[in-house]
Amino acid sequence: MTENHINVAGHLTERHITRAGQGGGRDVFEYALLRVVPRVERGECVNAGVLVYCRARGYLGARTHLDEARLLALDPGADAAGVRAALGAVEAVCGGGDGAGQAAGDDPGRRFRWLVAPRSTIVQPGPVHTGLTTDPEAETERLLDLLVR
């Protein structure tokens, strides 16, 4: 079933509504943006990555892309190398295994919930959103292109 919807920007879009059993082979996934907030007191941020979790497929992935020029426009003294290391750590936790440190033994859902928990650090997760996908790995890349790059 399709329904027309006017979004916040005033553009007409189509919403595809599915009911139980009508997902067309698609599975529910959750995602959150990773934001870099170089000066927490100012609240300004740069989107720098995306986390995607699909319980049905046991998938947890992160893709990051730091636009250093944007970061330095917000804070010329920002530690870009430190931010890249923090983003890399998020990707490592998503990957599991030895690179995930203490989180290595946790299942993907638990690691996702830990990564999206609110924090007051330079790299922060945004709110969690949901969608439907047939390929969570491709969805991760699509969201990175759409929301970060």
Side-chain angles (χ1 to χ4, degrees):
M1 181 163 120
T2 301
E3 171 183 295
N4 287 329
H5 174 74
I6 297 177
N7 67 20
V8 180
H11 301 286
L12 184 65
T13 60
E14 281 188 356
R15 287 179 43 193
H16 300 283
I17 301 168
T18 60
R19 290 180 174 62
Q22 297 178 334
R26 297 181 294 172
D27 295 305
V28 173
F29 73 95
E30 299 173 79
Y31 72 96
L33 283 171
L34 292 173
R35 299 172 175 164
V36 177
V37 185
R39 294 179 57 195
V40 176
E41 69 278 7
R42 291 185 60 143
E44 299 168 327
C45 65
V46 175
N47 292 343
V50 65
L51 296 165
V52 173
Y53 170 58
C54 181
R55 180 179 176 194
R57 307 242 178 149
Y59 175 83
L60 175 61
R63 293 278 290 125
T64 61
H65 172 80
L66 180 61
D67 185 332
E68 196 169 320
R70 283 185 182 175
L71 173 64
L72 296 176
L74 293 180
D75 183 3
D79 178 9
V83 170
R84 285 186 200 286
L87 292 169
V90 170
E91 289 190 58
V93 169
C94 284
D98 292 337
Q102 279 189 302
D106 291 339
D107 63 77
R110 189 173 175 120
R111 291 195 317 266
F112 178 74
R113 297 287 169 242
W114 180 75
L115 289 167
V116 298
R119 46 184 56 85
S120 293
T121 59
I122 291 177
V123 176
Q124 300 179 6
V128 175
H129 304 282
T130 60
L132 294 171
T133 188
T134 57
D135 185 350
E137 189 170 348
E139 197 68 43
T140 306
E141 194 65 38
R142 184 187 77 79
L143 289 170
L144 183 74
D145 288 339
L146 179 69
L147 303 172
V148 177
R149 289 188 178 144

